[in-house]
Amino acid sequence: MDDQSRMLQTLAGVNLAGHSVQGGMALPPPPHGHEGADGDGRKQDIGDILHQIMTITDQSLDEAQAKKHALNCHRMKPALFSVLCEIKEKTGLSIRGAQEEDPPDPQLMRLDNMLLAEGVSGPEKGGGSAAAAAAAAASGGSSDNSIEHSDYRAKLTQIRQIYHTELEKYEQACNEFTTHVMNLLREQSRTRPISPKEIERMVGIIHRKFSSIQMQLKQSTCEAVMILRSRFLDARRKRRNFSKQATEILNEYFYSHLSNPYPSEEAKEELAKKCSITVSQVSNWFGNKRIRYKKNIGKFQEEANLYAAKTAVTAAHAVAAAVQNNQTNSPTTPNSGSSGSFSLPNSGDMFMNMQSLNGDSYQGSQVGANVQSQVDTLRHVINQTGGYSDGLGANSLYSPHNLNANGGWQDATTPSSVTSPTEGPGSVHSDTSN
DNA sequence: TGAGATGATTAGCC
DNA sequence: GGCTAATCATCTCA
């Protein structure tokens, strides 16, 4: 006889013995044959039964405890449990086990990747994020969005903290629960067949349950990040008018370089710095300005005159100062060098505009008068310095003659490279040929 | 509240 | 990659 058969026999014997005893104890004795014949005898029988009932629970519990102890201490118990565990493995558990081997959840992977990319999970990125970094890069690294960036970072850090706190809580709860269940199963394994494999499997199930909860946490964190990000991007997209000063600076540059309003990269950078905007905003502004100017020159005429006058005055002051400086200091060449700034207009464009301003048919009333006087002053100054004396008296209406027939700017040979902000006030621009 | 102004975006071109 | 042209979306002001 092999072990297994012996054990099953033992098991049967124990159980049968138990049942037989317990059955014998629990079941009242069969009614006597002379039931109903003798009243006293009936009373005694009932009394016996009641007594048995009164004592049955204690007796059976005690005996059950004894049987349990006997079973636990039985030399065949480990072998029995081992066989039962094997049977369990081979039946239902094996089927479940096959189902439990899930492939990695693609959604979870996506969430993990996103959280990692956003800097929510993974190593700390100094409170920054890919979005903020990208936004910072897109803005040309200027500080105009710094407030929004810091706000974004602060909120992202907040999300990150909440995420990690919650994650920690979940992990702690998971560990606690796992330990509890493991202890419980180990405890139970003394009275019922539970293999270590089964405990392991149970731990796996618990972990999966908790990871599904974690996935929910990750999902809501991702949603929060997305909302934050979209709000941040919306805020960036939101248009805000440039300051008056910035617009003035840009217009000054535009009208003083009207023959070729294509600022070089350096000029754009400097304009951006001066206007507290980004280089791309400068590019946008010039793009829009060129288009709108070309589309409706008449509308911009007054504006052009105004800025031309402005630049004329500025130039006049500069030249006057230079002359004065020249007269008082030394007879060497005055101020021919560049200040490195575009704040003084390109003389060629300036003269071109003034040529127009000085025309008879100029219609700006007060502005025209002012411009006229300013131009006169300037002409005087320039004549004094031996500069340009021709062209200023031309009787031509201010017109966009720097625009060619094709709608392009004349002499705009190489956009973004012809003009330079480093040209000094005394420099001669090629556009003077206009 | 509507029209115009203006900054941003996009497609297509060179 | 920069530019133009068209268009969108928002701001400003009467």
Side-chain angles (χ1 to χ4, degrees):
Chain A
M1 189 182 284
D2 60 344
D3 276 354
Q4 203 166 327
S5 315
R6 260 203 311 275
M7 198 175 51
L8 287 170
Q9 267 192 356
T10 311
L11 176 68
V14 168
N15 284 340
L16 283 173
H19 280 302
S20 62
V21 172
Q22 203 167 356
M25 292 282 295
L27 292 173
H32 296 111
H34 55 269
E35 186 185 342
D38 185 1
D40 286 345
R42 258 205 312 273
K43 272 182 189 170
Q44 198 180 349
D45 284 347
I46 291 168
D48 283 347
I49 292 164
L50 280 173
H51 179 71
Q52 278 181 25
I53 290 170
M54 290 289 282
T55 57
I56 192 169
T57 316
D58 291 339
Q59 282 176 358
S60 63
L61 267 179
D62 284 345
E63 288 206 15
Q65 286 295 331
K67 295 282 175 207
K68 190 178 159 187
H69 184 69
L71 182 63
N72 279 340
C73 299
H74 200 281
R75 63 185 178 87
M76 296 302 282
K77 184 208 161 188
L80 167 70
F81 274 24
S82 165
V83 170
L84 288 173
C85 284
E86 236 174 78
I87 292 165
K88 276 172 81 175
E89 286 290 326
K90 280 177 185 168
T91 55
L93 286 174
S94 62
I95 298 161
R96 248 188 293 165
Q99 289 170 339
E100 283 159 7
E101 293 300 324
D102 292 329
D105 188 351
Q107 198 192 345
L108 186 64
M109 281 171 70
R110 272 201 300 277
L111 290 173
D112 280 337
N113 286 339
M114 188 191 158
L115 290 172
L116 203 65
E118 289 295 333
V120 176
S121 64
E124 177 83 46
K125 291 181 182 176
S129 74
S139 67
S142 81
S143 61
D144 61 333
N145 284 332
S146 59
I147 295 166
E148 282 136 4
H149 287 172
S150 60
D151 191 38
Y152 179 88
R153 281 198 208 98
K155 281 182 177 154
L156 196 75
T157 307
Q158 220 174 326
I159 291 173
R160 186 190 162 93
Q161 278 170 355
I162 292 167
Y163 171 76
H164 283 288
T165 310
E166 290 299 311
L167 204 66
E168 218 168 284
K169 272 188 204 168
Y170 281 136
E171 272 166 10
Q172 200 181 339
C174 179
N175 288 338
E176 277 173 14
F177 188 67
T178 306
T179 312
H180 176 72
V181 169
M182 277 170 74
N183 288 339
L184 207 66
L185 288 174
R186 282 200 195 104
E187 183 74 28
Q188 286 188 358
S189 69
R190 291 196 295 183
T191 53
R192 67 186 183 96
I194 299 171
S195 66
K197 228 179 182 179
E198 204 178 331
I199 296 174
E200 214 173 277
R201 195 175 293 119
M202 192 58 76
V203 169
I205 291 168
I206 293 166
H207 283 176
R208 267 191 292 281
K209 290 283 175 198
F210 271 89
S211 67
S212 73
I213 297 168
Q214 277 186 7
M215 195 162 93
Q216 282 176 18
L217 171 70
K218 284 174 182 176
Q219 201 157 3
S220 30
T221 306
C222 277
E223 278 168 18
V225 171
M226 292 302 281
I227 289 166
L228 177 68
R229 195 173 177 167
S230 67
R231 275 188 194 159
F232 174 69
L233 290 173
D234 283 350
R236 282 182 60 236
R237 194 187 174 95
K238 214 171 188 178
R239 195 175 69 75
R240 214 170 282 164
N241 285 356
F242 297 159
S243 68
K244 237 180 176 179
Q245 200 188 353
T247 313
E248 211 145 284
I249 291 167
L250 293 166
N251 271 316
E252 269 177 33
Y253 188 95
F254 181 82
Y255 288 112
S256 66
H257 295 76
L258 200 55
S259 65
N260 187 35
Y262 297 88
S264 64
E265 277 307 305
E266 292 80 23
K268 280 180 190 171
E269 275 168 29
E270 194 147 358
L271 280 166
K273 215 185 280 179
K274 281 202 165 191
C275 301
S276 302
I277 57 175
T278 66
V279 174
S280 61
Q281 281 176 308
V282 171
S283 299
N284 278 343
W285 190 91
F286 272 89
N288 285 326
K289 191 73 181 179
R290 281 191 296 265
I291 299 270
R292 284 161 188 167
Y293 177 83
K294 213 156 83 171
K295 268 187 177 174
N296 198 348
I297 293 157
K299 199 184 80 181
F300 287 99
Q301 187 171 325
E302 198 172 331
E303 190 180 64
N305 292 340
L306 197 68
Y307 280 101
K310 251 186 180 178
T311 51
V313 170
T314 312
H317 285 163
V319 174
V323 168
Q324 199 174 5
N325 189 37
N326 192 29
Q327 284 173 346
T328 53
N329 289 338
S330 72
T332 53
T333 314
N335 204 20
S336 57
S338 161
S339 63
S341 165
F342 56 78
S343 59
L344 289 173
N346 175 297
S347 59
D349 291 327
M350 183 182 78
F351 291 139
M352 180 193 69
N353 292 338
M354 283 166 47
Q355 191 175 29
S356 315
L357 290 168
N358 204 24
D360 293 331
S361 51
Y362 175 65
Q363 289 166 4
S365 56
Q366 188 54 47
V367 174
N370 289 339
V371 168
Q372 185 61 60
S373 71
Q374 285 152 5
V375 169
D376 286 344
T377 310
L378 182 61
R379 189 196 298 180
H380 176 69
V381 170
I382 291 168
N383 282 338
Q384 265 193 330
T385 58
Y388 298 94
S389 59
D390 56 343
L392 287 170
N395 290 335
S396 61
L397 173 70
Y398 173 77
S399 66
H401 55 276
N402 45 337
L403 281 174
N404 63 27
N406 298 327
W409 260 271
Q410 267 181 16
D411 294 340
T413 48
T414 316
S416 309
S417 62
V418 176
T419 58
S420 164
T422 54
E423 283 176 322
S427 67
V428 179
H429 196 275
S430 59
D431 292 331
T432 47
S433 59
N434 289 338

